[in-house]
Amino acid sequence: MATSSIITSPKNMSTAILIRVDQSGQGDYTKIQDAINSVPSNNSELVFIWVKPGTYREKLVVPADKPFITLSGTEASDTIITWNDGGEEGSESPTVNILASDFVGRYLTIQNKYGKSGKGVALRVSGDKAAFYGCRILSYQDTLLDDSGRHYYKNCYIEGATDFVFGNGASLFERCHLHSISEGNGAITAQKRESPLKNTGYVFLGCKITGIGGAILGRPWGSYSRVIYALTYMSGVVQPEGWNDWGDETKQKTVYYGEYKCYGPGAKRDKRAKWSHNLTNEEAAPFLNKTMIGGRSWLRAAPTQFNKTSN
């Protein structure tokens, strides 16, 4: 997938400019958005925004012209970004909007408290090459708009009731915990791939699925929707049929929904939708590493040296 503009990469990937956000006034800024705003347009240096513990009631945007930003807490449980917005236009509601490429989010809780009234996106990721580590992403309907680009989520907790991972990203979720709070039969994913030529889709590798009611693994927002669960624990919250065609039987012939060596009471395949796939070793192989997202070329280690901002 091509990015919309030419990005100049930092020359030194181990050193970052450090910006501190602290509500007590002991940092460079007291608001996260002010710290983001301080990064120059067409940024070509690593910027590490360290958010001290607290509850930040902000609606954040990382603009497309500000790549190479890391937004990091220390623990997700005590560094909380929260807002309350929603409605039918899910793209308007996100608490956190990532429009830039080469973004990293670490150890944050990102929350939309809109509740059961409609779509309330907590996190929208529309930039290419974005990675999230140890984050908690919380809402009810449409929690994570994994919109477009290549993305990597590791050790994240994602909670919702309806279509709570949705969009048309090419994304790998590794060792993540998906928790359904649907009291009925909610869908975990609604992936929007609309052409067999597009390399998009969601892969859940070594994940865990829990919940309080019933849940299906996915339904097709796009005709060529693609979702794979591999080596994933499925609790009894996963319904026996597993997958749903969203009322359009023609999509049964075009979607690609697969499972590979999943386990737990919800992983039994005897009553699964007949048009879903029980993948062989060979079929699963392309989805068991970072190849689909090209991760080896862009995933980066956290910086080890910091230069303080001049502010």
Side-chain angles (χ1 to χ4, degrees):
M1 278 171 282
T3 53
S4 57
S5 60
I6 297 173
I7 301 295
T8 302
S9 297
K11 294 182 176 66
N12 186 343
M13 298 299 284
S14 63
T15 301
I17 295 169
L18 177 64
I19 302 174
R20 298 167 301 160
V21 180
D22 188 341
Q23 289 176 323
S24 72
Q26 299 298 305
D28 301 300
Y29 298 95
T30 57
K31 292 185 177 182
I32 301 170
Q33 188 66 55
D34 288 345
I36 295 168
N37 292 347
S38 76
V39 178
S41 295
N42 303 313
N43 173 55
S44 61
E45 296 187 82
L46 289 184
V47 176
F48 192 97
I49 300 175
W50 183 18
V51 184
K52 298 295 184 69
T55 298
Y56 294 81
R57 291 179 174 83
E58 298 189 57
K59 191 168 182 173
L60 303 181
V61 177
V62 178
D65 63 354
K66 297 189 178 186
F68 302 109
I69 289 176
T70 293
L71 197 60
S72 181
T74 305
E75 291 186 28
S77 59
D78 62 18
T79 311
I80 299 163
I81 305 167
T82 185
W83 198 252
N84 179 350
D85 198 1
E88 274 310 300
E89 282 300 320
S91 61
E92 301 298 317
S93 66
T95 301
V96 175
N97 284 273
I98 307 302
L99 307 181
S101 73
D102 297 277
F103 176 87
V104 177
R106 295 161 29 104
Y107 313 125
L108 302 165
T109 290
I110 300 170
Q111 178 183 52
N112 190 330
K113 299 184 77 173
Y114 191 64
K116 301 180 180 181
S117 305
K119 300 173 182 177
V121 177
L123 172 63
R124 174 189 177 188
V125 189
S126 300
D128 192 27
K129 299 183 288 184
F132 296 84
Y133 301 93
C135 290
R136 298 169 71 238
I137 307 165
L138 314 175
S139 188
Y140 187 81
Q141 183 174 349
D142 294 359
T143 303
L144 171 58
L145 173 48
D146 189 83
D147 190 21
S148 60
R150 296 165 291 174
H151 309 144
Y152 180 60
Y153 302 83
K154 187 173 183 179
N155 294 325
C156 291
Y157 174 89
I158 307 167
E159 179 180 287
T162 305
D163 304 333
F164 62 93
V165 182
F166 74 112
N168 195 27
S171 301
L172 173 61
F173 298 79
E174 190 167 7
R175 295 205 290 272
C176 292
H177 182 177
L178 306 168
H179 185 72
S180 172
I181 53 173
S182 170
E183 295 174 0
N185 197 11
I188 295 171
T189 66
Q191 206 279 332
K192 202 185 180 183
R193 182 170 174 250
E194 294 177 306
S195 164
L197 303 177
K198 296 293 184 182
N199 184 39
T200 61
Y202 298 155
V203 177
F204 297 91
L205 177 60
C207 293
K208 175 168 69 172
I209 300 172
T210 59
I212 62 170
I216 57 169
L217 298 170
R219 57 181 184 171
W221 191 12
S223 297
Y224 289 85
S225 180
R226 179 165 65 168
V227 180
I228 308 295
Y229 291 86
L231 307 171
T232 288
Y233 171 79
M234 299 182 179
S235 74
V237 71
V238 177
Q239 297 298 284
E241 67 275 16
W243 307 90
N244 182 291
D245 63 16
W246 216 334
D248 184 353
E249 291 185 4
T250 64
K251 290 181 178 177
Q252 295 181 13
K253 297 178 181 179
T254 53
V255 301
Y256 191 82
Y257 289 157
E259 297 164 61
Y260 176 72
K261 292 187 177 180
C262 295
Y263 60 101
K268 297 175 182 176
R269 295 243 350 134
D270 55 326
K271 295 182 180 177
R272 278 292 192 265
K274 295 290 189 274
W275 39 274
S276 68
H277 302 277
N278 188 19
L279 301 182
T280 64
N281 291 342
E282 187 177 6
E283 290 169 335
F287 304 109
L288 300 181
N289 52 48
K290 300 178 178 68
T291 300
M292 189 182 87
I293 62 169
R296 293 188 184 280
S297 68
W298 59 268
L299 288 170
R300 62 183 189 267
T304 54
Q305 299 179 69
F306 298 94
N307 296 322
K308 289 190 176 181
T309 176
S310 57
N311 289 318

